[in-house]
Amino acid sequence: MTQPSRYRPDAIEERWQQQWERLGLHATVPEPASEDVSAESGAADDGYYALSMFPYPSGSLHMGHVRNYVITDVIARAARLRGKRVLHPMGWDAFGLPAENAAIERGVDPGDWTDRNIAQMRTQLKRLGLSIDWDREVTTCHADYYRWTQWLFLQFLDAGLAYRKEATVNWDPVDQTVLANEQVDADGRSWRSGAQVEKRRLRQWFLKITAYADALLDDLPSLQGWPERVRTMQANWIGRSLGAELIFPVETPAGAGSPAQAGEAAAITVFTTRPDTVCGATYLVLAPEHPLVERLTSDDCRLSVTAFRDLVSRQSDQERTAEDRPKRGVPIGAKVRNPANGESIPVWIGDYVLAEYGTGAVMGVPAHDQRDFQFARQYGLPVRQVVIPESSDPHDFEGRAWTEAGVLINSGRFDGLGSAEARTRITAAAEAEGWGRGRVQYRLRDWLISRQRYWGCPIPVIHCGSCGVQPVPEDQLPVELPRDVALSGKGGTPLARLESWMHVPCPSCGGPAQRETDTMDTFMCSSWYFLRYSDPHNIRRPFDRAAVDRWLPVDQYVGGIEHAILHLLYSRFFTKVLRDRGLLGFSEPFARLLTQGMVQGITYRSPSSGRYVPPAEVSDPDDPRDPHSGEVLEVFYEKMSKSKHNGVDPAVVIDRYGADTARMFILFKAPPEKDLEWDDADVEGQYRFLQRLWRLVEGAHGRGLRLTGEPGGWAGAIDPAALSDGEKELRRAVHTAIVAISEDLEGELQFNTAVSELMKLSNALTAHLDGACDAVACEALGTLLILLAPFAPHLAEELWQKLRADGPGEGGEIGADASVHRQRWPVADPAALVRDTIPLVIQVKGKMRGSLEVPADADAATLERLALDSEVARRWLEGQPPRRVIVVPGKLVNLVP
């Protein structure tokens, strides 16, 4: 007797990956020629674009990557089975600081380091069995890609949306270089030299995203396929506020004997969303970096102001504006006149006011702003209430400001007005009398894209002493990043030291000029990569208009919630600008967005030292103790990371269980938008489930079952009238699974419940397959394998080929159309879902005591009779008739003794 084969993922997965690649199974199918598409056929609309956010090539996949890419792969595979032409590409977000740091530490070229990492990660991704069209791969650090990033920058420049201005940077005074925010530690020191970081002003490049603030905000409601949480985060980041700009004339000259300077700074403008509280302003605060500070500071305050500005220059914006930090400031010796009531009030500088937000100046209204209240209490500044509750009970100011609306007092001609009316009346008075105007303010700032680093996309402009800033001519793109550059991390950007690269003739006058030595923020590269996938081999344009309009917007985008603001907002901005430039014909890049949850691992930490302990060093998980001190460890789940020693290497899991098991666990463990807690026991559970499927099909194969023809007739036609009860039950399970899994892969994506439905179908097959005729058995098996294919593609292919009547050819090779992944998604038969009988719950005094099968069309009287005649009624009523019988047809009968 032949011994049945065992499920060995290592024996089948790589083999099928090679076959799929040979067949070009995942290649994007081009759209039919327009003359071949009729208006009625709908063929022109059969494209589907499934996309994962592309990774940074660190060199190693982690489980967060696996979850992201497997989710998208299921979506792409299911779309193909539904007959869609699917675009499912992959690429690499390859510029950035980590590669430059690695190059400095290892003494290697960052391009070579990045390319090696890409090759390694590509191999790891292929092991997962992802149905990616690798022919469309893009790499942002390769010149054939960043040529077009530069071309798009010039589009922004031509549109007046790219400009230079001074901005604050982190400066390392030891290494003499600019640092990214992530290179500055919590104490404000350089990660490399340990020096206290300073703030400096440099001229840098910006994109004018604020010009699109209204469009970015107003179009958010149209993104119904996005999570509400993400739309809210973007709306808050844009932060549109309706308010007023109010002008406070300067009263005190700037330092003794400086009337000229005072004349240059005759007024300070503030923005406020509460003009109704202007009469409660008892001081005014400038950002320490505000250009007027130097002019307005009096001689007797200059030392304290200089010292304070130096202190603040070493703080990050996040530190300065943190809610839990005390607000600090010093007076500058100047005064301004409150334009609403003529009162003279002092001017301070404060660390909580940022030059880049609003006008860089705020009016202090401590009675009606909690931050101002804390500041005023700390420095003994007056608190004047100008708004009271409508009940007219004055606020007692016990530790908090009154920030709600109310009725105005102490506001002269505006007394008695409600807050809403007062805002309108005071703004109107300011406009009529010349001391202010209504204004819309945004929290959103223009996008600073300059980076004083080497490993980034060069900015394609040339600086000429005679002609100013000149764009690099398009026929000279790309401006290539020079390679084999000595990197030290010190002394500013290496590009400025490459004389032969930096010094070029001006493209306008031909005179001596210099290239821009800043490189671009890596978000520039990732804000349009999804467009390039539509036409990745185009050497004349970044993409063809017809191609990009055919594929975009992306039907389903998948990525982490950490990208909810910047990447997604910048991508939306790019799309709208390129639309207005006539380069594409849509307004939003992503129709549907799924933000998958994190993958968390079991984590052990010492409560006394905070040290994370690797799980391998914990000898008894039931009594986890520090291997050195014996201290009982804290145990919890946390996002996997190297520093916490709680990561799981995907390669180890695939080596042991196979890619299909890893995929099934990732999909089954939690809903896609929720965090997932890694559990080895659950991984084992999915492996056992796939083994059961293997044995199930092995048994069917041994019985001689073979799939022929099309779905619904794989082993001949099914006669519903001739089916046994078991066959009907099996067909009902099959078609219930079709309905449920189809719903789980549309609308709200629920892969975990889809896998659960596969398990239910497997159980039904185990229970009824042996007693089913060949036609019903083959329908059930064929449907199971097609439904399984998006989730466990290797196993589904292997079992499908095992049951095919013609089977694979010599050497196990198949034709593309013979693949399970080229079949048609099954359609549910409504007749198979109809039940002859249904389960009826029997309750006694409202508690479930049992159930029985009853005719599906039984009326209430019949249900009552069947319930009273049941063994349940005899046991619980003890021969006594019930006082009352409640019948809910199709659901239950409640017997009340």
Side-chain angles (χ1 to χ4, degrees), residues 539-562:
I539 61 173
R540 294 182 300 275
R541 306 280 283 179
F543 45 79
D544 176 70
R545 167 73 185 261
V548 77
D549 285 350
R550 184 181 306 126
W551 284 112
L552 276 288
V554 173
D555 292 281
Q556 182 67 64
Y557 199 34
V558 181
I561 190 67
E562 65 271 20

Side-chain angles (χ1 to χ4, degrees), residues 22 25 278:
R22 175 183 63 82
L25 211 60
V278 63

Side-chain angles (χ1 to χ4, degrees), residues 2-78:
T2 304
Q3 191 72 15
S5 62
R6 292 176 55 248
Y7 172 48
R8 291 184 50 203
D10 60 318
I12 68 171
E13 291 185 345
E14 185 176 1
R15 171 163 51 84
W16 283 118
Q17 291 162 14
Q18 291 172 353
Q19 285 235 42
W20 295 334
E21 187 170 353
R22 175 183 63 82
L23 295 170
L25 211 60
H26 308 141
T28 306
V29 178
E31 185 182 41
S34 57
E35 59 268 19
D36 298 331
V37 179
S38 66
E40 295 79 14
S41 69
D45 297 323
D46 69 346
Y48 190 92
Y49 191 173
L51 183 63
S52 293
M53 295 181 185
F54 67 170
Y56 175 77
S58 61
S60 298
L61 283 186
H62 55 67
M63 278 300 173
H65 288 131
V66 174
R67 192 178 195 194
N68 186 335
Y69 306 137
V70 167
I71 285 172
T72 309
D73 191 58
V74 172
I75 295 167
R77 287 183 178 278

